[in-house]
Short mmCIF file of all heavy atoms in Angstrom, two decimals:
data_model
loop_
_atom_site.label_atom_id
_atom_site.label_comp_id
_atom_site.label_asym_id
_atom_site.label_seq_id
_atom_site.Cartn_x
_atom_site.Cartn_y
_atom_site.Cartn_z
N ASN A 80 81.91 77.93 123.18
CA ASN A 80 83.08 78.06 124.07
C ASN A 80 83.17 76.92 125.07
O ASN A 80 84.25 76.62 125.58
CB ASN A 80 83.07 79.40 124.81
CG ASN A 80 83.42 80.57 123.91
OD1 ASN A 80 83.99 80.39 122.82
ND2 ASN A 80 83.07 81.76 124.33
N LYS A 81 82.04 76.28 125.37
CA LYS A 81 82.03 75.14 126.29
C LYS A 81 82.22 73.82 125.55
O LYS A 81 82.08 72.75 126.14
CB LYS A 81 80.73 75.12 127.07
CG LYS A 81 80.62 76.23 128.09
CD LYS A 81 79.34 76.14 128.87
CE LYS A 81 79.27 77.25 129.89
NZ LYS A 81 78.04 77.19 130.68
N GLY A 82 82.48 73.89 124.25
CA GLY A 82 82.74 72.67 123.48
C GLY A 82 81.54 72.11 122.75
O GLY A 82 81.61 71.02 122.18
N GLY A 83 80.42 72.82 122.77
CA GLY A 83 79.24 72.36 122.06
C GLY A 83 79.37 72.54 120.56
O GLY A 83 80.23 73.28 120.08
N LYS A 84 78.52 71.83 119.83
CA LYS A 84 78.52 71.93 118.37
C LYS A 84 77.42 72.89 117.93
O LYS A 84 76.32 72.88 118.49
CB LYS A 84 78.28 70.56 117.74
CG LYS A 84 79.38 69.57 118.03
CD LYS A 84 79.06 68.22 117.40
CE LYS A 84 80.15 67.21 117.71
NZ LYS A 84 79.81 65.88 117.19
N LYS A 85 77.72 73.67 116.91
CA LYS A 85 76.77 74.67 116.40
C LYS A 85 75.45 74.00 116.01
O LYS A 85 74.36 74.49 116.33
CB LYS A 85 77.39 75.37 115.19
CG LYS A 85 76.71 76.64 114.77
CD LYS A 85 77.51 77.29 113.64
CE LYS A 85 77.21 78.76 113.55
NZ LYS A 85 78.01 79.43 112.51
N GLN A 86 75.53 72.89 115.33
CA GLN A 86 74.34 72.17 114.87
C GLN A 86 73.47 71.73 116.06
O GLN A 86 72.25 71.83 116.02
CB GLN A 86 74.80 70.97 114.06
CG GLN A 86 73.70 70.08 113.57
CD GLN A 86 74.28 68.88 112.83
OE1 GLN A 86 75.47 68.69 112.78
NE2 GLN A 86 73.39 68.09 112.27
N THR A 87 74.11 71.25 117.11
CA THR A 87 73.38 70.81 118.29
C THR A 87 72.70 72.00 118.96
O THR A 87 71.55 71.90 119.41
CB THR A 87 74.33 70.11 119.28
OG1 THR A 87 74.96 69.02 118.61
CG2 THR A 87 73.58 69.60 120.49
N PHE A 88 73.38 73.13 119.02
CA PHE A 88 72.79 74.34 119.59
C PHE A 88 71.48 74.68 118.88
O PHE A 88 70.46 74.92 119.52
CB PHE A 88 73.76 75.52 119.50
CG PHE A 88 73.13 76.83 119.91
CD1 PHE A 88 73.06 77.18 121.24
CD2 PHE A 88 72.58 77.68 118.96
CE1 PHE A 88 72.46 78.37 121.63
CE2 PHE A 88 71.99 78.87 119.33
CZ PHE A 88 71.92 79.22 120.68
N TYR A 89 71.52 74.71 117.55
CA TYR A 89 70.33 75.07 116.79
C TYR A 89 69.22 74.03 116.94
O TYR A 89 68.03 74.37 116.99
CB TYR A 89 70.66 75.32 115.31
CG TYR A 89 71.37 76.64 115.12
CD1 TYR A 89 72.70 76.70 114.71
CD2 TYR A 89 70.72 77.84 115.37
CE1 TYR A 89 73.35 77.91 114.55
CE2 TYR A 89 71.37 79.06 115.22
CZ TYR A 89 72.67 79.09 114.81
OH TYR A 89 73.32 80.30 114.67
N THR A 90 69.58 72.77 117.06
CA THR A 90 68.58 71.72 117.29
C THR A 90 67.89 71.94 118.62
O THR A 90 66.66 71.89 118.70
CB THR A 90 69.26 70.32 117.27
OG1 THR A 90 69.84 70.11 115.99
CG2 THR A 90 68.26 69.23 117.57
N LEU A 91 68.67 72.18 119.65
CA LEU A 91 68.09 72.41 120.99
C LEU A 91 67.31 73.71 121.04
O LEU A 91 66.24 73.78 121.66
CB LEU A 91 69.21 72.40 122.04
CG LEU A 91 69.95 71.08 122.21
CD1 LEU A 91 71.15 71.27 123.14
CD2 LEU A 91 69.03 70.00 122.73
N ASP A 92 67.80 74.74 120.38
CA ASP A 92 67.13 76.03 120.37
C ASP A 92 65.75 75.95 119.72
O ASP A 92 64.80 76.58 120.19
CB ASP A 92 68.00 77.07 119.66
CG ASP A 92 67.45 78.46 119.80
OD1 ASP A 92 67.36 78.96 120.94
OD2 ASP A 92 67.08 79.06 118.76
N LYS A 93 65.63 75.16 118.67
CA LYS A 93 64.34 75.00 117.98
C LYS A 93 63.28 74.37 118.87
O LYS A 93 62.09 74.57 118.67
CB LYS A 93 64.49 74.14 116.73
CG LYS A 93 65.15 74.84 115.58
CD LYS A 93 65.26 73.89 114.38
CE LYS A 93 66.13 74.49 113.31
NZ LYS A 93 66.36 73.54 112.21
N ARG A 94 63.70 73.61 119.86
CA ARG A 94 62.76 72.91 120.75
C ARG A 94 62.19 73.83 121.82
O ARG A 94 61.28 73.46 122.54
CB ARG A 94 63.44 71.72 121.38
CG ARG A 94 63.91 70.72 120.31
CD ARG A 94 64.33 69.40 120.83
NE ARG A 94 63.46 68.78 121.81
CZ ARG A 94 62.32 68.13 121.54
NH1 ARG A 94 61.91 68.04 120.31
NH2 ARG A 94 61.62 67.59 122.50
N GLN A 95 62.76 75.02 121.95
CA GLN A 95 62.32 75.95 122.99
C GLN A 95 61.33 76.97 122.43
O GLN A 95 61.38 77.33 121.27
CB GLN A 95 63.52 76.67 123.59
CG GLN A 95 64.46 75.73 124.30
CD GLN A 95 65.57 76.46 125.03
OE1 GLN A 95 65.46 77.64 125.34
NE2 GLN A 95 66.63 75.75 125.33
N LEU A 96 60.44 77.42 123.32
CA LEU A 96 59.53 78.50 122.97
C LEU A 96 60.33 79.78 122.74
O LEU A 96 61.45 79.92 123.24
CB LEU A 96 58.54 78.74 124.10
CG LEU A 96 57.51 77.65 124.35
CD1 LEU A 96 56.73 77.94 125.64
CD2 LEU A 96 56.56 77.54 123.18
N SER A 97 59.73 80.72 122.05
CA SER A 97 60.42 81.99 121.80
C SER A 97 60.56 82.76 123.12
O SER A 97 59.74 82.60 124.03
CB SER A 97 59.63 82.84 120.80
OG SER A 97 58.50 83.39 121.44
N PRO A 98 61.59 83.59 123.22
CA PRO A 98 61.77 84.41 124.43
C PRO A 98 60.54 85.26 124.75
O PRO A 98 60.20 85.44 125.92
CB PRO A 98 62.98 85.27 124.10
CG PRO A 98 63.76 84.46 123.12
CD PRO A 98 62.72 83.74 122.30
N LYS A 99 59.86 85.78 123.74
CA LYS A 99 58.68 86.61 123.99
C LYS A 99 57.59 85.84 124.71
O LYS A 99 56.94 86.36 125.62
CB LYS A 99 58.15 87.19 122.68
CG LYS A 99 59.02 88.29 122.12
CD LYS A 99 58.44 88.88 120.86
CE LYS A 99 59.39 89.96 120.33
NZ LYS A 99 58.88 90.64 119.16
N ILE A 100 57.38 84.61 124.31
CA ILE A 100 56.36 83.78 124.98
C ILE A 100 56.78 83.49 126.41
O ILE A 100 55.97 83.58 127.34
CB ILE A 100 56.11 82.47 124.19
CG1 ILE A 100 55.46 82.80 122.84
CG2 ILE A 100 55.25 81.50 124.98
CD1 ILE A 100 55.34 81.62 121.89
N LYS A 101 58.04 83.14 126.60
CA LYS A 101 58.53 82.85 127.95
C LYS A 101 58.39 84.07 128.86
O LYS A 101 57.99 83.94 130.01
CB LYS A 101 59.99 82.39 127.91
CG LYS A 101 60.15 81.00 127.33
CD LYS A 101 61.61 80.58 127.37
CE LYS A 101 61.78 79.20 126.80
NZ LYS A 101 63.13 78.70 126.93
N GLU A 102 58.71 85.24 128.33
CA GLU A 102 58.58 86.47 129.12
C GLU A 102 57.15 86.70 129.56
O GLU A 102 56.90 87.16 130.67
CB GLU A 102 59.09 87.66 128.32
CG GLU A 102 60.60 87.69 128.17
CD GLU A 102 61.08 88.81 127.27
OE1 GLU A 102 60.40 89.85 127.18
OE2 GLU A 102 62.15 88.64 126.65
N LYS A 103 56.18 86.40 128.68
CA LYS A 103 54.77 86.59 129.02
C LYS A 103 54.32 85.63 130.12
O LYS A 103 53.52 85.99 130.97
CB LYS A 103 53.89 86.41 127.78
CG LYS A 103 53.97 87.56 126.81
CD LYS A 103 53.07 87.33 125.61
CE LYS A 103 53.24 88.45 124.59
NZ LYS A 103 52.45 88.20 123.37
N VAL A 104 54.82 84.41 130.09
CA VAL A 104 54.41 83.39 131.05
C VAL A 104 55.08 83.59 132.41
O VAL A 104 54.47 83.32 133.44
CB VAL A 104 54.73 81.98 130.49
CG1 VAL A 104 54.47 80.90 131.52
CG2 VAL A 104 53.92 81.72 129.23
N CYS A 105 56.30 84.07 132.41
CA CYS A 105 57.08 84.19 133.65
C CYS A 105 56.73 85.45 134.43
O CYS A 105 56.26 86.43 133.88
CB CYS A 105 58.57 84.16 133.33
SG CYS A 105 59.09 82.56 132.70
N ASP A 106 56.98 85.38 135.73
CA ASP A 106 56.69 86.49 136.63
C ASP A 106 57.79 87.55 136.61
O ASP A 106 57.52 88.72 136.85
CB ASP A 106 56.54 85.96 138.06
CG ASP A 106 55.47 84.89 138.16
OD1 ASP A 106 54.29 85.22 137.93
OD2 ASP A 106 55.82 83.73 138.42
N TYR A 107 59.02 87.13 136.36
CA TYR A 107 60.15 88.04 136.37
C TYR A 107 61.08 87.70 135.20
O TYR A 107 61.10 86.56 134.73
CB TYR A 107 60.96 87.91 137.66
CG TYR A 107 60.19 88.24 138.90
CD1 TYR A 107 59.55 87.24 139.63
CD2 TYR A 107 60.09 89.55 139.36
CE1 TYR A 107 58.83 87.54 140.77
CE2 TYR A 107 59.38 89.85 140.50
CZ TYR A 107 58.74 88.84 141.20
OH TYR A 107 58.04 89.14 142.33
N LYS A 108 61.85 88.68 134.79
CA LYS A 108 62.83 88.47 133.72
C LYS A 108 64.18 89.03 134.17
O LYS A 108 64.26 90.13 134.71
CB LYS A 108 62.41 89.18 132.43
CG LYS A 108 63.44 89.03 131.33
CD LYS A 108 63.12 89.89 130.12
CE LYS A 108 64.26 89.79 129.12
NZ LYS A 108 64.16 90.75 128.06
N ILE A 109 65.22 88.25 133.93
CA ILE A 109 66.59 88.69 134.16
C ILE A 109 67.31 88.56 132.83
O ILE A 109 67.27 87.50 132.20
CB ILE A 109 67.28 87.85 135.24
CG1 ILE A 109 66.59 88.04 136.60
CG2 ILE A 109 68.77 88.20 135.33
CD1 ILE A 109 67.12 87.17 137.70
N THR A 110 67.96 89.64 132.39
CA THR A 110 68.68 89.62 131.12
C THR A 110 70.13 89.23 131.38
O THR A 110 70.78 89.79 132.27
CB THR A 110 68.61 90.99 130.43
OG1 THR A 110 67.22 91.32 130.25
CG2 THR A 110 69.29 90.97 129.08
N ASN A 111 70.62 88.29 130.60
CA ASN A 111 71.96 87.74 130.80
C ASN A 111 72.83 87.97 129.56
O ASN A 111 73.33 87.03 128.97
CB ASN A 111 71.87 86.25 131.13
CG ASN A 111 73.21 85.62 131.41
OD1 ASN A 111 74.18 86.31 131.67
ND2 ASN A 111 73.25 84.31 131.34
#
Side-chain angles (χ1 to χ4, degrees):
N80 287 342
K81 289 182 179 181
K84 295 179 181 176
K85 195 175 202 177
Q86 177 183 5
T87 302
F88 173 84
Y89 286 112
T90 298
L91 296 172
D92 188 63
K93 285 180 190 175
R94 300 192 46 79
Q95 296 186 21
L96 291 172
S97 75
K99 287 183 181 183
I100 293 172
K101 288 183 180 185
E102 287 175 28
K103 286 180 184 176
V104 173
C105 293
D106 303 295
Y107 299 94
K108 177 188 175 191
I109 295 175
T110 303
N111 182 17

